[in-house]
Amino acid sequence: RASSVDGIAVRVSYGDGTVPKVPPFIIPATSASLTVPITTFTATDNTAVAGYLLTETSATPAASAPGWVTPAPTSYTFATPGAKTLYAWAKDAAGNVSTSRSAPVTISIGDVTPPTVTAFTIPATSSSATIPINSFTATDNVGVAGYLVTESATAPAAILPTWTATPP
């Protein structure tokens, strides 16, 4: 702002009070991965954008908070699957932080937990080539879909036709 003091022009600066603006940012509505691509994330400011931040909370981050980056990130990795909301922020060199833009995403990851054999017993000795199985149980977070006994320690392929729906 310009003013005059005793006939001398004086320019008074109040600093940058303009907050950066984040237009809508775009992420996919669903993802099969914890790492979600950021399709569009931009910001504008009257001087320059100095940092970009993605969070999972709507609380305004401090300009000094960790995680600010340039250029804008192209992906974000969530810790767990489920219905999530991602918040996009921008800051300028004066420390002004934008209001957030948010976008929802639902992360659905297939069953990635292998089943666990909880019991498997056979007799210590046998007089026959056909060995009886005394117990064979397994658990899984989704459900056990097949059972197979082999003579190899190598995990069998899931597509083998010898898998059975019930324990042998």
Side-chain angles (χ1 to χ4, degrees), residues 8-154:
I8 301 171
V10 177
R11 178 143 180 96
V12 179
S13 176
Y14 293 102
D16 180 4
T18 303
V19 177
K21 295 190 180 355
V22 176
F25 82 110
I26 301 170
I27 62 176
T30 61
S31 177
S33 169
L34 291 174
T35 300
V36 176
I38 308 300
T39 307
T40 303
F41 182 9
T42 61
T44 59
D45 187 59
N46 66 321
T47 57
V49 175
Y52 298 86
L53 181 65
L54 294 169
T55 67
E56 294 180 51
T57 176
S58 62
T60 303
S64 60
W68 290 98
V69 297
T70 57
T74 57
S75 66
Y76 182 85
T77 302
F78 290 90
T80 59
K84 306 291 183 176
T85 300
L86 194 57
Y87 297 86
W89 309 88
K91 72 174 182 175
D92 64 17
N96 298 310
V97 176
S98 69
T99 56
S100 70
R101 288 293 187 152
S102 63
V105 61
T106 300
I107 301 168
S108 301
I109 298 176
D111 183 7
V112 295
T113 304
T116 301
V117 174
T118 54
F120 179 71
T121 58
I122 59 173
T125 62
S126 177
S127 58
S128 168
T130 302
I131 309 295
I133 297 172
N134 297 332
S135 68
F136 186 174
T137 59
T139 61
D140 185 63
N141 63 322
V142 175
V144 176
Y147 299 84
L148 180 62
V149 176
T150 69
E151 293 181 41
S152 172
T154 303

